[in-house]
């Protein structure tokens, strides 16, 4: 901004002549804000700037005229003051004559003047530099009165983080100037009872003046060009894989703080004086808030179902562990009794031997029944896991998926599509749970050509797998070759191999 533009701007804001404005700017190194500070200083210490000796102070005269325009008795340096009445004899030492209006103490007027000057200074500051986000609630109340919506008095990034922590949407209002469109937006949208209710339950309201740095940068990232504008934003923890099926872009401001714009409305006046219909804006806010509430409720229900499922799985595992320990104890007792039977003397009577044999048979039968019960429990768990796996939808075929065809020892075949990022252990689990019968109990998955076994279940389907030392050359130290498709064979293995 040139010096002449700064002079004209100061003249328009405070109503002084150009020479006084130029003197103020020269004294403040051509800083408009500092010049305003000098102009609105207290009346007793108003600075005097004169370019030539013998001239009356231009700034002081202009300030005196400005305060006279505001009204009230304001003591100013150099101004004529009314002398007090002379003292007379009496109890209080003062004349009993009534004071004239000019003799009324100036303290109340000083206080009123300082309050008025503070408001004038705030208005001038906002006119030049824009309204700060923390001042919007007071600015709104001064212009439009009650009801006043509750604004978050923080920066845009802090507002996004606060909305994320409270699981709310952020309603951002980008303000530029106090015009007819802004008044219509404030009175017919922000002061409606429904919007005020949503701000108490589902939304946080943040406002920014695009004349200031941060709001202007956020508006640029959101692609806003006309103001005032209203944007509904959903805060997110990060921008990774956010709703891949939704064509929304993620805005990052400041670094590490993310939000997704859902809807926006721009209220600028058209050529015919028309603006966006407030009813349409309210309906948009209502629909978005309702959808967001339903989404939050759905997420909470999913978390509850997952917690219930995890608790059920934990209970089933504990039950299986108890049954296994009981069966193991029964086997140990049977082995101990067999050892005791073998240590009997040769002259033991037939009845004693028969009794021992009967007890041993009963124990073996109990152990066998326990083992069968354990197998039934494992089979029930396998069938349950099978239903869960088949209930999960398969990802669509692409370069990031692997279509696995599995041949069982009986000749039957299974087929399923997996994401390329899943571990080989999930393929083993699918093979174990989805085969018709759990036989063989211990198995491994193999590839015919080049012939090798897939045993490293911690690898993903797209990672590299090393071949056994000395058996394969380094050319086989490559990917698992399971993307985009692969044919596997289920073979029986030793008990220490991979199994379902």
């Amino acid at each position: 901004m040139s010096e002449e533009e700064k002079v004209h701007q100061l003249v328009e804001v405070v109503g002084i002549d150009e020479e006084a404005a130029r003197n103020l700017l020269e004294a403040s190194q051509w800083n408009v804000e500092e010049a305003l500070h000098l102009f609105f200083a207290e009346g007793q210490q108003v600075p005097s700037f004169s370019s030539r000796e013998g001239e009356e102070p231009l700034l002081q005269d202009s300030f005196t005229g400005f305060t006279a325009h505001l009204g009230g008795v304001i003591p100013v340096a150099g101004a004529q003051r009314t002398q007090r009445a002379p003292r007379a004899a009496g109890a209080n030492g003062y004349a009993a004559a009534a004071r004239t209006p000019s003799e009324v103490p100036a303290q109340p007027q000083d206080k009123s003047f300082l309050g008025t000057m503070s408001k004038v200074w705030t208005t001038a500051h906002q006119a030049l530099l824009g309204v700060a986000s923390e001042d919007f609630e007071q600015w709104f109340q001064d212009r439009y009165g009650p009801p006043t919506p509750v604004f978050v008095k923080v920066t845009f990034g802090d507002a996004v983080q606060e909305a994320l922590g409270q699981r709310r949407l952020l309603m951002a209002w980008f303000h530029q100037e106090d015009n007819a469109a802004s008044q219509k937006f404030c009175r017919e949208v922000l002061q409606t009872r429904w919007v005020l209710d949503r701000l108490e339950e589902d939304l946080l309201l943040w406002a920014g003046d695009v004349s200031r740095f941060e709001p202007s940068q956020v508006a640029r990232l959101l692609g806003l060009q006309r103001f005032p504008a209203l944007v509904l934003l959903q805060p997110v923890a990060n921008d990774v894989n956010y709703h891949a099926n939704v064509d929304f872009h993620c805005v990052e401001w400041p670094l590490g703080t993310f939000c997704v714009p859902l809807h926006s409305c721009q209220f600028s006046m058209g050529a015919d004086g028309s603006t966006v219909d407030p009813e349409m804006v309210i309906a948009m806010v209502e629909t978005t808030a309702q959808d967001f509430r339903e989404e939050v409720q759905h997420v909470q229900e999913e978390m509850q179902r997952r917690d219930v499922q995890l608790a059920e799985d934990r209970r089933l595992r504990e039950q299986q562990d108890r049954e296994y320990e009981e069966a193991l104890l029964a086997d140990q007792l049977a082995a101990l009794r067999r050892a005791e039977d073998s240590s009997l003397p040769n002259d033991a009577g037939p009845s004693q031997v028969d009794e021992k044999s009967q007890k041993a048979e009963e124990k073996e039968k109990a152990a066998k029944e326990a083992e069968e019960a354990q197998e039934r429990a494992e089979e029930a768990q396998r069938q349950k896991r099978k239903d869960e796996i088949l209930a999960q939808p398969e990802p669509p075929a692409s370069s990031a998926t692997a279509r696995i065809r599995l041949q069982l020892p009986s000749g039957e075949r299974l087929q399923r599509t997996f994401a390329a990022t899943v571990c080989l252990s999930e393929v083993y689990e699918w093979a174990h749970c989805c085969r018709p019968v759990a036989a063989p109990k211990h198995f491994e998955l193999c590839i015919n050509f080049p012939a090798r076994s897939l045993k490293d279940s911690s690898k993903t389907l797209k990672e590299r797998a090393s071949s056994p030392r000395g058996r394969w050359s380094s050319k086989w130290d490559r990917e698992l070759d399971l993307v985009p498709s692969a044919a596997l064979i289920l073979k029986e293995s030793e008990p220490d191999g991979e199994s379902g």
Side-chain angles (χ1 to χ4, degrees):
M1 183 183 296
S2 65
E3 294 181 356
E4 291 299 325
E5 290 177 345
K6 293 180 180 180
V7 170
H8 290 309
Q9 187 178 36
L10 192 59
V11 169
E12 291 177 0
V13 172
V14 299
I16 60 178
D17 56 36
E18 292 188 2
E19 188 172 357
R22 188 178 298 277
N23 290 336
L24 278 172
L25 290 168
E26 289 177 354
S28 61
Q29 303 297 324
W30 293 94
N31 187 307
V32 178
E33 186 173 354
E34 292 296 331
L36 285 171
H37 276 292
L38 289 175
F39 181 82
F40 291 118
E42 295 185 8
Q44 292 85 346
Q45 300 297 330
V46 176
S48 175
F49 301 99
S50 177
S51 58
R52 295 181 297 275
E53 294 184 359
E55 286 188 351
E56 293 294 329
L58 297 175
L59 175 59
Q60 180 173 309
D61 293 342
S62 301
F63 184 78
T64 305
F66 180 74
T67 56
H69 176 70
L70 292 176
V73 179
I74 304 170
V76 181
Q80 185 66 31
R81 292 181 172 84
T82 303
Q83 299 294 327
R84 293 184 179 271
R87 292 198 177 193
N92 56 7
Y94 285 93
R99 294 178 180 176
T100 63
S102 61
E103 294 174 329
V104 177
Q107 183 175 357
Q109 287 84 347
D110 287 343
K111 184 175 180 181
S112 176
F113 166 71
L114 292 178
T116 304
M117 294 303 296
S118 177
K119 289 185 178 180
V120 172
W121 158 246
T122 301
T123 303
H125 187 274
Q126 292 175 352
L128 289 174
L129 303 178
V131 185
S133 296
E134 59 269 18
D135 298 332
F136 257 97
E137 188 168 327
Q138 185 64 44
W139 178 90
F140 190 99
Q141 185 175 0
D142 292 342
R143 280 160 178 76
Y144 304 107
T148 302
V150 178
F151 292 80
V152 287
K153 302 175 183 179
V154 294
T155 62
F156 177 81
D158 292 340
V160 173
Q161 293 294 339
E162 184 174 346
L164 179 63
Q166 299 182 16
R167 292 185 179 180
R168 293 191 181 189
L169 294 177
L170 181 64
M171 185 164 67
W173 167 29
F174 294 90
H175 172 78
Q176 188 174 39
E177 58 183 353
D178 192 11
N179 53 26
S182 296
Q183 295 175 6
K184 186 174 184 179
F185 166 72
C186 293
R187 295 189 184 280
E188 300 185 21
V189 176
L190 292 183
Q191 287 188 317
T192 59
R193 174 48 51 191
W194 193 94
V195 172
L196 293 173
D197 292 342
R198 296 285 73 75
L199 290 176
E200 293 179 358
E201 299 174 3
D202 306 315
L203 306 173
L204 289 181
L205 176 60
W206 175 87
D209 194 321
V210 293
S211 301
R212 303 178 77 90
F213 174 73
E214 185 187 51
S216 65
Q217 296 302 310
V218 177
R220 179 183 60 82
L221 293 175
L222 293 172
L224 302 177
Q225 299 179 352
R226 296 179 298 170
F227 305 97
L230 181 70
V231 184
L232 292 177
L233 303 165
Q234 179 173 352
V236 293
N238 53 63
D239 63 341
V240 179
N241 296 330
Y242 174 75
H243 296 309
N245 57 338
V246 181
D247 191 18
F248 286 154
H249 69 283
C250 194
V251 175
E252 181 181 8
W253 182 277
L255 186 65
T257 301
F258 303 93
C259 61
V260 177
L262 303 179
H263 297 285
S264 64
C265 291
Q266 303 181 50
F267 281 78
S268 60
M269 302 291 291
D272 56 351
S274 62
T275 61
V276 177
D277 184 10
E279 295 295 333
M280 183 189 70
V281 178
I282 294 175
M284 177 200 72
V285 175
E286 179 180 4
T287 303
T288 306
Q290 182 177 359
D291 293 343
F292 181 71
R293 282 199 308 272
E294 293 176 354
E295 182 178 353
V296 171
Q297 183 178 1
H298 176 71
V299 171
Q300 292 176 346
E301 292 175 353
E302 286 293 332
M303 293 177 63
Q304 292 176 356
R305 284 196 292 268
R306 185 183 63 181
D307 293 341
V308 171
Q309 182 63 39
L310 290 176
E312 180 65 22
D313 294 343
R314 189 182 304 109
R315 186 193 63 80
L316 182 60
R317 285 196 299 270
E318 292 175 353
Q319 180 181 356
Q320 292 175 350
D321 292 340
R322 286 195 301 270
E323 293 176 353
Y324 175 77
E325 291 175 357
E326 292 173 358
L328 183 61
L329 179 60
D331 292 342
Q332 291 175 351
L333 292 175
L336 181 61
R337 288 186 173 86
R338 286 195 297 270
E340 292 176 353
D341 294 341
S342 61
S343 62
L344 290 175
N346 296 330
D347 57 351
S351 59
Q352 187 177 2
V353 174
D354 293 341
E355 183 179 358
K356 295 288 186 179
S357 300
Q358 184 179 359
K359 290 181 178 180
E361 290 176 359
E362 290 176 355
K363 292 174 182 177
E364 290 177 0
K365 182 178 180 180
K368 185 176 181 180
E369 290 176 354
E371 183 179 357
E372 291 175 354
Q374 181 179 358
E375 290 177 356
R376 287 194 299 270
E378 291 177 354
E379 179 64 20
Q381 177 65 15
R382 190 179 73 90
Q383 293 296 330
K384 182 178 179 181
R385 183 56 184 155
K386 172 184 177 181
D387 295 338
E388 294 176 355
I389 294 174
L390 296 180
Q392 297 176 359
E394 299 183 23
S398 66
S399 59
T401 60
R403 190 167 188 83
I404 305 300
R405 294 184 298 274
L406 178 64
Q407 182 178 349
L408 303 177
S410 62
E412 297 176 279
R413 296 179 182 273
L414 301 177
Q415 182 171 288
R416 187 172 178 84
T417 301
F418 296 85
T421 55
V422 304
C423 296
L424 185 61
S425 59
E426 292 192 23
V427 180
Y428 267 93
E429 184 181 22
W430 163 72
H432 170 64
C433 296
C434 295
R435 54 181 175 168
V437 293
K441 185 174 182 180
H442 303 283
F443 66 89
E444 62 183 7
L445 300 180
C446 305
I447 296 179
N448 273 340
F449 184 83
R452 66 182 188 273
S453 299
L454 306 179
K455 294 184 178 181
D456 193 352
S457 59
S458 63
K459 295 288 185 179
T460 63
L461 303 187
K462 65 178 182 179
E463 289 184 358
R464 303 181 67 87
S466 300
S467 60
R469 181 176 299 179
R471 181 177 299 179
W472 305 103
S473 61
S474 59
K475 69 177 182 179
W476 296 116
D477 293 344
R478 55 195 182 114
E479 297 183 355
L480 296 177
D481 287 337
L482 303 183
V483 177
S485 64
L488 306 181
I489 300 175
L490 188 148
K491 294 182 178 180
E492 185 175 4
S493 67
E494 297 296 331
D496 57 347
E498 292 287 348
S499 65

